[in-house]
Amino acid sequence: MRTPRLAELGIATMATAALALAGCDSTSPSGSASAPASAPATGSASASVSAADPAAVEALTKATSQLGTTSFKMTATSGSGFKLTGAVDPAQGVGEADLKATGPNAELSIKTLLTGQDLYLQVPGFTKAGTWTHVDVARLPEGANVGLRPGQLDPVNTSKLLSSATDVRSTGANAYAGTLDLTKAVGLAGVSQVTIDESGAQAEKVPFTATTDDQGRLSELTIEIPAVNGQAAQPLKVLYSDYGAPVSVTKPAATEVTEAPDSLYNSLGS
């Protein structure tokens, strides 16, 4: 039986964490995001200041920057067809993610494991049961991302996503809102180029809301992804929790690992 290409599932380019999970090809640390265009990355998700509240920008920047310095867990959902869970420790360079997605004619479950510079996947149709597929990060096609990878341990790559934020303002205690320019964040958090193209000008002004906990750490992010192709809009909601909790990742034994075949890299780029 032919293994369906990932794009056939109709799930963005996979969504940010596991296989073509939303192909943002960022290699900066998860806690770092591009500062405004003329400035180098500084390790914080500096939101663009355009009619923005400087205090709100500072608070959100500090909140997202912690995603690159401490361990945390996250859960991302979009409608009933997409769920991504992950636990990462940027300081130790380890993490794991689990993606479950359904499309019109298929279901997919992908696991990702990162330990140091080694990236492993469990992908139906490519990985034998009870084993892992080792991926050569250098061979990943342009635009493809597996969510967890050396130097980028936030499955949703929140800091990079929020670097396109504008009009950031406070909406209450520990609550913020603004807009994102998805044309500057292709593929992030499950947003495919198709979604951006079909959204037209809407993609440049996508509303988002965010909340922080009592220690100023990001606790929730909701992005109002535009509806496309006649489908109902399904906001992307991300919850962040368990900051500082230990994340234990065990490297698979050599007998449980096979190298990724060329066909896997081809699928990631499809």
Side-chain angles (χ1 to χ4, degrees), residues 112-211:
T112 308
L113 186 153
L114 177 69
T115 171
Q117 297 299 307
D118 289 308
L119 179 64
Y120 305 90
L121 304 178
Q122 287 185 340
V123 187
F126 292 98
T127 308
K128 294 181 180 180
T131 67
W132 290 88
T133 297
H134 182 260
V135 174
D136 181 354
V137 177
R139 292 190 60 192
L140 290 176
E142 182 179 0
N145 197 322
V146 291
L148 300 181
R149 64 189 301 169
Q152 193 251 297
L153 279 82
D154 174 3
V156 175
N157 211 345
T158 309
S159 294
K160 179 67 177 292
L161 182 62
L162 288 179
S163 70
S164 69
T166 60
D167 306 326
V168 179
R169 62 193 182 279
S170 174
T171 58
N174 299 329
Y176 307 92
T179 54
L180 300 170
D181 183 353
L182 294 184
T183 67
K184 297 179 180 178
V186 177
L188 288 176
V191 182
S192 69
Q193 184 64 56
V194 171
T195 296
I196 293 174
D197 292 343
E198 293 290 333
S199 299
Q202 293 185 79
E204 298 179 8
K205 288 286 185 179
V206 176
F208 80 91
T209 58
T211 59

Side-chain angles (χ1 to χ4, degrees), residues 19-176:
L19 212 24
L21 304 108
C24 134
D25 193 21
S26 167
T27 56
S28 60
S30 64
S32 73
S34 302
S38 60
T42 61
S44 65
S46 180
S48 302
V49 181
S50 175
D53 175 357
V57 172
E58 181 179 6
L60 199 55
T61 294
K62 289 182 177 179
T64 54
S65 68
Q66 296 184 62
L67 298 176
T69 60
T70 185
S71 61
F72 65 95
K73 294 182 180 179
M74 56 79 62
T75 299
T77 56
S78 181
S80 60
F82 174 80
K83 182 175 183 179
L84 170 67
T85 59
V88 300
D89 186 341
Q92 300 298 320
V94 299
E96 56 186 2
D98 188 353
L99 169 70
K100 296 184 184 302
T102 58
N105 302 301
E107 296 183 0
L108 187 65
S109 177
I110 300 174
K111 294 182 182 295
T112 308
L113 186 153
L114 177 69
T115 171
Q117 297 299 307
D118 289 308
L119 179 64
Y120 305 90
L121 304 178
Q122 287 185 340
V123 187
F126 292 98
T127 308
K128 294 181 180 180
T131 67
W132 290 88
T133 297
H134 182 260
V135 174
D136 181 354
V137 177
R139 292 190 60 192
L140 290 176
E142 182 179 0
N145 197 322
V146 291
L148 300 181
R149 64 189 301 169
Q152 193 251 297
L153 279 82
D154 174 3
V156 175
N157 211 345
T158 309
S159 294
K160 179 67 177 292
L161 182 62
L162 288 179
S163 70
S164 69
T166 60
D167 306 326
V168 179
R169 62 193 182 279
S170 174
T171 58
N174 299 329
Y176 307 92

